[in-house]
Amino acid sequence: ALFLIGIWGYSEIEAGLAMSPGAITAAVAAAVIGRRIERRGQGASIVAGGLVWAAVGGWLLFRLGTDPSFLSVWLPAGLVGGAAMGAIGVGIATAAVTAVEPARYAAATGLNLTARQVGGALGIAVLAAILQGGGGGRDIDPYLAVFLFCSLGAAAGGLLGFGVRDREVQAAAPAPGLVSR
C-alpha cells in the first residue's frame, strides 16, 4: 500500500481497493487448499506457496515502475500472490495443529498465532528501516528493496517447508482426565 500511495500517487482508499483482490484470492485459496491438504501435505503447501510468492516478488522487481500499471502488473501479482499467501497460511496452520496430540491443539494454535504476530512486527520494523534509508520522495529503489527482501523471505520460508513432516489430521479425542458420558 505504501508503494501505491508513495510512487503511483493512489489515495489510501484506492490503495486499499487495489490490495483487495489479493486478499480475496488468499481466502479462496486457503479454503480450497484446506479441504485438500491431506492429499499433498502441509509441507507441499508451504513450499509451493513460498516459492510462488517469491516468484511473484521477483516478477514485481522487474516489472514495477513509477508509472501506474494496475491491470498489467499489480492485479495479476496480487491475484497470484494472494493465492500463494493462502497456501502458506493454511499449510503452516495445519502443520502446527497436526504436530501435537489433540489435547494440545489450542496451545499449538496460540503459539502459531503468536509467532505470526511477532514475525509481522519484526518484518514491518525491517521494512520501515529499508524505506527510511531511501530518503523519501518518489524514489522507487527503496520500495524495490522491500520487494526483494520479501521475496527472499518467502523463498526461505518456502524452502523451510521441505522440513515439515506431514501427519494426518488426528481425530479429536477427549483431553486426558476428562470422561465423556
Side-chain angles (χ1 to χ4, degrees), residues 62-152:
F62 293 106
R63 296 294 314 260
L64 281 177
T66 55
D67 295 326
S69 49
F70 177 79
L71 290 176
S72 63
V73 177
W74 194 264
L75 181 61
L79 294 173
V80 174
M85 291 302 292
I88 293 167
V90 76
I92 291 172
T94 304
V97 297
T98 59
V100 299
E101 64 274 1
R104 295 183 185 254
Y105 278 4
T109 299
L111 183 58
N112 180 44
L113 291 173
T114 300
R116 289 177 66 171
Q117 292 293 322
V118 170
L122 292 174
I124 289 171
V126 170
L127 300 182
I130 293 171
L131 288 176
Q132 188 174 19
R138 288 187 43 97
D139 182 13
I140 195 172
D141 291 337
Y143 293 97
L144 295 178
V146 166
F147 284 110
L148 176 62
F149 173 79
C150 292
S151 297
L152 294 174

Side-chain angles (χ1 to χ4, degrees), residues 15-35:
L17 291 172
M19 303 282 294
S20 296
I24 292 167
T25 58
V28 170
V32 170
I33 292 169
R35 288 190 203 125

Side-chain angles (χ1 to χ4, degrees), residues 11 15 40 46 50-51 56-57 78 94 99 107 112 141 162 174:
S11 71
R40 301 267 186 213
I46 296 167
L51 297 181
V56 167
T94 304
N112 180 44
D141 291 337
F162 282 116

